[in-house]
C-alpha cells in the first residue's frame, strides 16, 4: 500500500496516464476511487459469531471519497501530492455526486452507525434500496420550493453491481432484486458493506413534470425515488412495494449468508442480529418467519427465532409517523405475508386483552410498530427523554407488558466525518493540544478542559471559527451567489422542514428583530440567520414556511436600514455536503423544537462538536447536551416536555388568545401579510401560514415566543460583548462532545442488544 506522497504520485500518474498537472479532476477522481476500492477490499474480514444487519429505508451517506481516504489512512498523501501539482481536494470533491439516499436524521444516523461499526471492527452490514433519484433536488424560484429529480448515479458513484439476484413476489408477480454493494470503510478498521437492492428494469423515462411519474408501473418505477409522495393511494402502495422488495431480498441474503457460515437456521440467532430502523423495514419480521417455515421450521419456533434475532428502534413520537397500513393494501401487494401477520396478531392477542396493543385493529389497520414490539426482543428510543416518553406515555401499555424489552440508546455522530473531515483546522488544533487519541476514543476530548482559561488557545480557537466562517462565505458565493459578512454572528437552523421543529418560531423572531431595528433598537452585532431545509413535496404548510422565510429575506435585502444589521439566508438544496460547510461556521445552533417532539436530534451534536453554542428547548438530546455542558454553556428556553404533554392532555391551548393578548406576537404575525411582504411574496401562501398560526398552531410556537426572544437576545449580546468568554464556552462544548460519538452509541447497542462476534 502506498502511504507516502511520492508513492501516491507514482501510482496516480500511472493510472491517469499523464502528468497530474495536466490531467482532469475526473480522471484523478476515477483513479482514487479504484485505489480506495482496492484498499478497502483488502480490509474485509471473515465473520466469526454473530453479524449485524442494519436494515433501513434510508442511508444518507454523503460523499465518500475524502471520508474513505481518511479512514484508509490515504488522505494526507493524496492531498499533499495534489497540492504539489496545483490541484485542490475541494475541487476534486466537486466531481463526486452526493448519493441522496435519505431524508434527514434517521438516514444520516444509519450512515454514522455503519462508520462506527467498521471503525470498532464489528461485523455489521447495511441493507437498503438503491434509489435512482433518491430525495428530490430542491429549487427556489419566486421564493417557492420546487422539486426536480436528482440523478446521482453514474461513473462516479461507489455502488458496485453484483451478479447476485433474489426473487421477490409483488402482487403475485415475480421480480428479481439485484444486489449492489458499497464498501464501508472503518477508521483504521475493517471494511463492511452497504447492500442496496434494485431492479434492472427501472426506467427514468416514466418521470414527467418535476418529480411526478406513473406510480402504477412498478417494473419501471419501483426504486426511482426515495419515499415517493404518499398523499394518495398509489403513492402509499408504492411505499409498501419498496419496503417489501428491501426486506424480502434482505431476508434472503441474511439466510443465505448464515447458512453458508454453518447455521442450521434453528440457531439463526447465533449468526445474525437484525436492527429494524423505525417501522419502514418491519415486514422483515413476517417475511423471515415465512421463509423459515418454507425451509421446514414450525411457525411457533420460527416466530421465537425471529424475536431473538430482531430488535427495533423507534425514532419518533409523532402519531402520524407511526406506520399503519390498511389490511387491503397488504392483501394486494404481499398476500403471502397475510397468513403470517394474522397468526402473529392471534399470538399477541393471546398474551393480553388490551386491544390497544393489537397488530390488526378493529378497523382492519395493521400497526407495524405493534408487530415490532411484540416480535422483537428489544425496543429502544434514541435519547433519554424520548425513551422515557415512550415508556410513560406513547407506548405505556407495551412497556407494562414487556418492561425488559425497553431500553435507551442516545444517538451519536461519527467524528470522522463531522470533525476530521469537515473541520481539519480544528482537528489539528485539538491534536496539538491533547494528542490524537480522541479520534478513536472521543471521551479524550475532555482533556481540552485543561485549556479553558488559556487565552492563547482560545484565540486560536476563535481564529479557526473565523476562518471557517470565511470559507463558508466563499462557498456560498461560489455555489449560490450570496454574500454574507463573516464578522456577523451566524445563527443556523438546518434540518428537515417540519412544524414541530418550528422554523416558524425562528421566522417570527426575525420579524420581531426587523421591527426592533426599524425602531432604532439595533442588535449588538450584525446577525446572519441561516436556514437549510427541504419540505416534503406534499406538505403545504412546510412549503409556506419556506416561502415566508425567503420572502422576508427579500424584504430585508431591499431595506438598507435593516440589512446593515440583519440578513436572512436560506440555503438551496440542503444536503450532507452543505452541512459539512455550514456546521463548522456556526456560532449559534438553533435546536428549538417543541419539547417532547424531537426524538433526539443529531445536528445539535454536530454543531456542538464544531464549537457552536446551542439555543434550544429541553427536548431530545438537547437535555443530555445541557447536562454535559452545564447551564452556563447553553441557552435553554421554553416550556418543559411535561408542560407540553399536560397542555395536549387538557386540550386547552388556544393560539388566538396569545395572539390577541401579546402585542409583539400580534405584530409579528400580522406582518406576514403586510404590504412589504406582499410586494415580494404570494398572498395565498402567506395568509395560509398566518391563519394556521392564529387558528391552530398545533406545535405551540406562541407560548415559547417571548422566552425565545429573550434568550436569543442574551446570546447575541454575550457574543458581542464577551468574545473571549464565548470562545471559552465553545471550548467547553467541544470538550464535552465525546459522549455524542456514534462509537459510544454503537458500543452500547453491541453490549446490550447485539453481542456481535469479532
Ligand atoms: C412514515 C410513514 C409514512 C410516510 C413517511 C414516514 C416517515 C419517513 C421518514 C417517517 C419518519 C421518517 C424519518 C424520521 C426521522 O428522520 N426521524 C429522526 O430520527 C433521528 C435519528 O434518530 C432523530 O435524531 C430525530 O429526532 C428524528 O426526528
Amino acid at each position: 500500500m502506498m502511504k507516502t506522497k511520492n508513492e501516491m504520485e507514482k501510482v496516480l500518474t500511472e493510472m491517469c496516464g499523464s502528468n497530474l498537472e495536466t490531467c482532469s479532476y475526473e480522471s484523478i477522481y476515477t483513479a482514487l476511487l479504484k485505489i480506495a476500492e482496492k484498499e478497502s477490499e483488502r480490509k474485509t474480514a471473515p465473520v466469526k459469531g454473530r453479524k449485524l444487519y442494519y436494515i433501513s429505508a434510508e442511508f444518507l451517506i454523503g460523499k465518500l471519497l475524502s471520508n474513505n481516504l481518511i479512514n484508509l489512512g490515504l488522505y494526507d498523501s493524496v492531498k499533499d501530492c495534489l497540492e504539489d501539482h496545483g490541484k485542490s481536494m475541494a475541487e476534486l470533491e466537486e466531481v463526486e455526486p452526493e448519493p441522496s439516499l435519505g431524508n434527514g436524521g434517521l438516514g444520516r444516523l444509519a450512515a454514522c452507525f455503519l462508520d462506527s461499526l467498521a471503525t470498532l471492527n464489528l461485523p455489521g452490514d447495511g441493507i437498503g434500496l438503491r434509489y435512482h433519484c433518491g430525495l428530490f433536488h430542491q429549487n427556489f424560484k419566486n421564493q417557492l420550493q420546487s422539486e426536480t429529480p436528482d440523478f446521482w448515479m453514474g461513473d462516479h458513484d461507489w455502488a458496485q453491481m453484483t451478479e447476485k439476484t433474489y426473487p421477490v413476489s409483488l402482487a403475485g408477480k415475480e421480480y428479481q432484486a439485484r444486489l449492489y454493494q458499497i464498501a464501508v470503510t472503518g477508521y483504521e478498521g475493517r471494511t463492511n458493506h452497504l447492500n442496496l437492492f434494485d431492479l434492472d428494469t427501472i426506467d427514468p423515462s416514466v418521470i414527467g413534470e418535476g418529480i411526478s411519474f406513473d406510480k402504477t408501473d412498478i417494473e419501471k418505477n419501483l426504486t426511482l425515488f426515495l419515499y415517493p409522495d404518499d398523499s394518495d393511494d398509489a403513492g402509499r402502495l408504492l411505499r409498501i412495494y419498496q419496503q417489501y422488495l428491501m426486506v424480502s431480498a434482505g431476508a434472503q441474503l441474511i439466510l443465505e449468508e448464515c447458512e453458508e457460515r454453518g447455521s442450521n437456521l434453528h440457531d439463526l440467532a447465533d449468526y445474525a442480529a437484525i436492527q429494524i430502523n423505525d417501522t419502514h423495514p418491519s415486514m422483515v419480521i413476517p417475511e423471515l418467519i415465512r421463509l423459515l417455515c418454507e425451509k421446514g421450521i414450525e411457525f411457533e419456533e420460527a416466530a421465537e427465532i425471529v424475536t431473538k434475532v430482531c430488535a427495533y428502534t423507534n425514532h419518533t413520537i409523532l402519531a402520524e409517523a407511526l406506520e399503519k397500513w390498511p389490511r387491503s393494501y397488504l392483501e394486494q401487494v404481499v398476500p403471502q405475508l397475510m397468513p403470517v401477520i394474522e397468526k402473529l396478531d392471534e399470538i399477541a392477542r393471546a398474551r393480553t386483552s388490551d386491544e390497544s396493543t393489537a397488530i390488526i385493529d378493529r378497523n382492519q389497520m395493521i400497526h407495524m410498530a405493534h408487530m415490532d414490539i411484540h416480535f422483537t426482543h428489544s425496543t429502544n428510543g434514541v435519547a433519554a427523554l424520548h425513551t422515557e416518553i415512550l415508556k410513560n406515555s406513547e407506548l405505556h401499555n407495551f412497556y407494562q407488558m414487556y418492561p425488559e424489552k425497553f431500553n435507551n440508546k442516545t444517538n451519536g455522530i461519527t467524528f470522522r466525518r463531522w470533525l476530521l473531515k469537515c473541520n481539519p483546522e480544528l482537528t489539528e488544533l485539538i491534536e496539538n493540544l491533547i494528542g490524537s487519541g480522541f479520534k478513536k476514543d472521543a471521551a479524550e476530548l475532555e482533556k481540552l478542559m485543561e485549556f479553558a482559561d488559556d487565552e492563547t488557545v482560545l484565540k486560536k480557537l476563535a481564529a479557526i471559527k473565523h476562518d471557517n466562517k470565511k470559507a463558508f462565505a466563499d462557498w456560498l458565493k461560489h455555489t449560490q451567489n450570496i454574500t454574507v459578512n463573516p464578522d456577523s454572528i451566524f445563527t443556523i437552523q438546518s434540518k428537515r422542514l417540519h412544524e414541530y421543529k418550528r422554523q416558524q418560531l425562528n421566522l417570527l423572531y426575525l420579524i420581531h428583530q426587523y421591527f426592533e431595528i426599524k425602531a432604532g433598537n439595533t442588535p449588538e452585532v450584525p446577525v446572519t440567520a441561516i436556514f437549510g431545509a427541504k419540505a416534503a413535496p406534499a406538505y403545504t404548510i412546510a412549503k409556506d414556511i419556506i416561502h415566508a422565510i425567503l420572502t422576508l429575506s427579500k424584504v430585508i435585502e431591499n431595506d438598507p436600514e435593516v440589512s446593515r444589521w440583519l440578513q436572512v439566508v436560506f440555503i438551496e438544496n440542503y444536503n450532507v455536503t452543505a452541512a459539512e460547510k455550514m456546521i463548522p461556521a456556526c456560532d449559534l445552533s438553533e435546536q428549538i423544537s417543541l419539547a417532547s417532539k424531537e426524538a433526539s436530534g443529531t445536528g445539535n451534536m454536530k454543531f456542538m462538536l464544531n464549537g457552536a453554542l446551542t439555543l434550544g428547548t429541553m427536548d431530545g438530546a438537547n437535555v443530555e447536551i445541557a447536562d454535559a455542558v452545564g447551564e452556563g454553556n447553553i441557552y435553554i428556553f421554553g416550556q418543559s416536555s411535561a408542560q407540553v404533554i399536560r397542555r395536549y392532555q387538557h386540550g386547552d391551548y388556544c393560539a388566538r388568545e396569545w395572539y390577541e393578548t401579546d402585542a409583539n406576537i400580534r405584530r409579528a404575525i400580522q406582518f406576514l401579510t403586510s404590504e412589504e411582504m406582499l410586494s415580494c411574496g404570494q398572498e395565498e401562501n402567506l395568509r395560509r401560514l398566518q391563519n394556521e398560526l392564529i387558528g391552530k398552531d398545533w406545535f405551540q410556537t406562541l407560548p415559547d415566543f417571548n422566552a425565545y426572544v429573550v434568550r436569543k437576545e442574551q446570546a447575541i449580546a454575550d457574543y458581542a460583548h464577551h468574545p473571549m468568554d464565548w470562545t471559552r464556552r465553545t471550548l467547553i462544548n467541544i470538550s464535552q462532545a465525546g459522549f455524542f460519538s456514534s462509537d459510544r452509541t454503537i458500543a452500547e447497542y453491541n453490549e446490550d442488544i447485539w453481542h456481535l462476534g469479532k
Side-chain angles (χ1 to χ4, degrees):
M1 195 206 15
M2 54 284 137
K3 278 262 187 200
T4 70
K5 181 178 78 174
N6 291 343
E7 286 166 329
M8 184 56 77
E9 181 180 318
K10 194 160 159 267
V11 176
L12 272 182
T13 312
E14 216 163 274
M15 289 177 81
C16 297
S18 73
N19 192 305
L20 291 181
E21 267 91 4
T22 54
C23 56
S24 66
Y25 277 110
E26 273 80 15
S27 60
I28 299 176
Y29 175 86
T30 309
L32 286 168
L33 192 147
K34 286 197 190 117
I35 292 172
E37 266 167 4
K38 204 160 157 207
E39 186 55 22
S40 41
E41 195 56 41
R42 225 172 51 81
K43 301 201 166 182
T44 52
V47 179
K48 294 189 214 86
R50 198 176 281 130
K51 172 175 172 180
L52 171 72
Y53 297 90
Y54 195 86
I55 181 160
S56 173
E58 304 189 18
F59 287 93
L60 196 45
I61 53 184
K63 295 189 184 192
L64 293 176
L65 180 66
S66 291
N67 177 74
N68 285 345
L69 293 176
I70 289 172
N71 285 356
L72 295 167
L74 300 173
Y75 186 85
D76 289 337
S77 59
V78 169
K79 178 168 175 281
D80 294 348
C81 157
L82 291 188
E83 282 173 1
D84 280 1
H85 296 275
K87 296 230 143 47
S88 82
M89 284 306 286
E91 280 181 70
L92 178 66
E93 280 179 15
E94 285 185 18
V95 175
E96 182 174 358
E98 176 177 328
S100 51
L101 305 182
N103 275 290
L106 164 150
R108 184 54 234 174
L109 184 78
C112 285
F113 280 6
L114 292 186
D115 181 281
S116 286
L117 281 159
T119 298
L120 297 177
N121 276 310
L122 294 169
D125 282 0
I127 293 179
L129 289 173
R130 180 174 176 261
Y131 307 100
H132 290 233
C133 301
L135 186 63
F136 62 88
H137 187 281
Q138 178 191 51
N139 312 283
F140 293 151
K141 212 172 136 205
N142 299 329
Q143 286 82 250
L144 294 165
Q145 169 182 298
S146 63
E147 304 88 22
T148 45
D150 176 11
F151 292 96
W152 66 277
M153 299 184 330
D155 296 344
H156 295 137
D157 85 65
W158 294 73
Q160 292 186 329
M161 190 171 112
T162 74
E163 291 303 309
K164 283 201 171 150
T165 59
Y166 299 89
V168 175
S169 171
L170 294 161
K173 197 170 157 214
E174 193 171 291
Y175 296 79
Q176 295 297 321
R178 181 175 298 282
L179 173 65
Y180 289 76
Q181 288 194 312
I182 298 180
V184 178
T185 58
Y187 181 70
E188 296 173 0
R190 62 179 280 143
T191 295
N192 290 323
H193 288 97
L194 172 53
N195 300 298
L196 299 175
F197 292 103
D198 197 3
L199 300 182
D200 291 346
T201 50
I202 300 303
D203 180 1
S205 76
V206 302
I207 303 174
E209 181 78 8
I211 53 168
S212 67
F213 62 98
D214 176 359
K215 289 186 186 145
T216 56
D217 196 348
I218 296 308
E219 196 168 324
K220 293 185 176 166
N221 70 23
L222 190 51
T223 51
L224 262 184
F225 289 101
L226 164 70
Y227 287 136
D229 177 9
D230 70 342
S231 52
D232 57 18
D233 284 344
R236 283 189 286 270
L237 280 170
L238 183 51
R239 186 192 302 284
I240 300 175
Y241 279 102
Q242 287 192 332
Q243 293 182 349
Y244 187 66
L245 183 83
M246 169 172 80
V247 304
S248 177
Q252 293 175 65
L253 175 136
I254 293 168
L255 293 183
E256 180 183 86
E257 284 194 0
C258 292
E259 285 191 289
E260 271 170 23
R261 290 173 48 221
S263 169
N264 61 18
L265 299 183
H266 297 278
D267 58 1
L268 189 66
D270 297 334
Y271 290 82
I274 299 176
Q275 193 68 34
I276 301 175
N277 199 26
D278 219 289
T279 53
H280 321 150
S282 299
M283 282 187 286
V284 75
I285 292 172
E287 177 65 1
L288 268 174
I289 295 174
R290 189 185 72 81
L291 291 170
L292 290 173
C293 290
E294 257 183 22
K295 289 172 182 274
I297 296 179
E298 294 293 319
F299 189 94
E300 279 67 25
E301 196 203 346
E304 277 168 30
I305 294 171
V306 170
T307 305
K308 268 198 269 174
V309 168
C310 293
Y312 156 66
T313 304
N314 175 290
H315 294 266
T316 182
I317 27 202
L318 294 185
E320 65 265 30
L322 284 180
E323 286 182 305
K324 47 180 197 283
W325 299 114
R327 180 191 196 118
S328 60
Y329 282 21
L330 296 195
E331 275 166 355
Q332 185 183 331
V333 182
V334 288
Q336 64 275 33
L337 289 189
M338 282 316 297
V340 181
I341 295 174
E342 278 162 8
K343 271 199 190 168
L344 294 179
D345 182 54
E346 270 170 38
I347 297 175
R349 283 176 179 277
R351 291 179 191 168
T352 170
S353 56
D354 182 354
E355 178 67 26
S356 75
T357 64
I359 297 174
I360 307 178
D361 73 15
R362 293 211 172 104
N363 300 319
Q364 300 301 309
M365 296 296 282
I366 300 178
H367 295 250
M368 306 314 265
H370 298 185
M371 186 165 68
D372 290 323
I373 304 171
H374 287 299
F375 293 98
T376 65
H377 65 282
S378 163
T379 291
N380 76 281
V382 290
L385 175 69
H386 170 55
T387 301
E388 286 310 301
I389 294 174
L390 291 180
K391 292 199 295 197
N392 299 330
S393 9
E394 296 304 310
L395 300 177
H396 183 66
N397 294 346
F398 285 98
Y399 178 56
Q400 284 191 313
M401 258 186 104
Y402 307 112
E404 72 290 348
K405 290 192 186 188
F406 282 75
N407 64 98
N408 177 57
K409 296 287 166 284
T410 298
N411 281 168
I413 57 173
T414 168
F415 284 25
R416 269 71 61 183
R417 183 176 290 271
W418 298 111
L419 180 60
L420 276 59
K421 155 83 184 39
C422 75
N423 203 340
E425 273 197 77
L426 178 58
T427 305
E428 192 185 333
L429 174 67
I430 296 173
E431 200 164 352
N432 290 339
L433 295 173
I434 62 170
S436 59
F438 72 95
K439 295 180 182 175
K440 290 203 115 178
D441 178 7
E444 288 196 14
L445 284 179
E446 185 108 37
K447 292 184 188 164
L448 286 172
M449 283 305 278
E450 208 184 299
F451 303 95
D453 295 310
D454 185 329
E455 286 215 357
T456 322
V457 169
L458 296 180
K459 279 187 183 146
K460 283 187 190 158
L461 192 55
I464 290 171
K465 179 61 76 182
H466 199 257
D467 283 352
N468 288 333
K469 289 169 77 172
K470 280 197 293 195
F472 171 65
D474 290 346
W475 177 81
L476 205 52
K477 183 79 198 160
H478 168 66
T479 55
Q480 317 201 3
N481 199 24
I482 296 173
T483 307
V484 293
N485 170 15
D487 294 317
S488 60
I489 179 171
F490 285 7
T491 71
I492 306 190
Q493 186 172 16
S494 57
K495 46 185 81 257
R496 278 307 288 263
L497 205 310
H498 204 293
E499 287 163 281
Y500 85 79
K501 295 180 186 284
R502 299 200 298 187
Q503 281 92 351
Q504 70 275 28
L505 176 58
N506 198 339
L507 165 69
L508 291 179
Y509 166 83
L510 294 168
I511 297 174
H512 176 81
Q513 174 89 275
Y514 167 92
F515 277 110
E516 292 300 303
I517 294 170
K518 286 257 177 219
N521 302 323
T522 56
E524 258 76 3
V525 55
V527 175
T528 303
I530 300 163
F531 293 85
K534 288 181 182 177
Y539 190 173
T540 307
I541 287 292
K543 287 182 142 179
D544 291 343
I545 294 171
I546 292 182
H547 179 66
I549 295 170
L550 283 167
T551 302
L552 178 68
S553 168
K554 261 244 135 86
V555 169
I556 291 174
E557 195 182 308
N558 295 337
D559 185 333
E561 192 188 350
V562 180
S563 63
R564 282 177 50 210
W565 293 103
L566 181 61
Q567 184 179 8
V568 177
V569 175
F570 210 125
I571 308 288
E572 198 170 19
N573 198 42
Y574 178 65
N575 57 11
V576 176
T577 308
E580 288 168 14
K581 310 281 180 196
M582 291 161 77
I583 289 170
C586 179
D587 295 307
L588 192 64
S589 151
E590 304 257 7
Q591 308 299 335
I592 60 176
S593 55
L594 175 63
S596 80
K597 295 295 176 189
E598 187 70 271
S600 162
T602 45
N604 45 5
M605 303 169 186
K606 293 164 198 163
F607 284 109
M608 168 198 199
L609 175 62
N610 283 277
L613 298 190
T614 303
L615 171 59
T617 49
M618 278 302 232
D619 199 14
N622 295 353
V623 175
E624 286 156 87
I625 293 177
D627 256 7
V629 300
E631 64 178 345
N633 301 307
I634 187 167
Y635 296 91
I636 294 290
F637 72 94
Q639 304 179 82
S640 68
S641 59
Q643 285 172 308
V644 171
I645 291 168
R646 211 173 307 130
R647 242 198 189 119
Y648 277 117
Q649 277 165 353
H650 293 172
D652 60 356
Y653 172 58
C654 175
R656 191 174 295 276
E657 271 171 31
W658 290 81
Y659 174 79
E660 279 165 4
T661 53
D662 188 307
N664 283 340
I665 290 176
R666 199 163 53 247
R667 180 176 74 169
I669 294 182
Q670 280 175 348
F671 186 74
L672 287 171
T673 52
S674 62
E675 229 174 81
E676 292 88 334
M677 289 290 278
L678 293 181
S679 71
C680 296
Q682 303 283 330
E683 173 155 11
E684 186 191 344
N685 304 71
L686 295 168
R687 197 165 294 284
R688 188 163 46 212
L689 175 59
Q690 183 174 59
N691 289 340
E692 184 77 22
L693 285 170
I694 302 171
K696 189 170 172 199
D697 187 27
W698 182 246
F699 294 101
Q700 304 178 18
T701 316
L702 308 188
D704 280 348
F705 175 79
N706 284 303
Y708 179 55
V709 171
V710 168
R711 283 310 262 166
K712 196 153 167 175
E713 281 177 354
Q714 180 70 52
I716 294 170
D718 289 347
Y719 177 89
H721 296 309
H722 310 289
M724 193 66 90
D725 189 54
W726 179 278
T727 305
R728 187 181 63 79
R729 293 187 292 146
T730 70
L731 182 102
I732 293 172
N733 270 262
I734 299 167
S735 76
Q736 300 305 313
F739 177 76
F740 302 103
S741 161
S742 47
D743 296 348
R744 188 268 313 152
T745 314
I746 287 297
E748 286 182 12
Y749 272 95
N750 191 36
E751 183 71 25
D752 298 343
I753 305 174
W754 302 330
H755 314 291
L756 304 176
K758 272 241 172 178

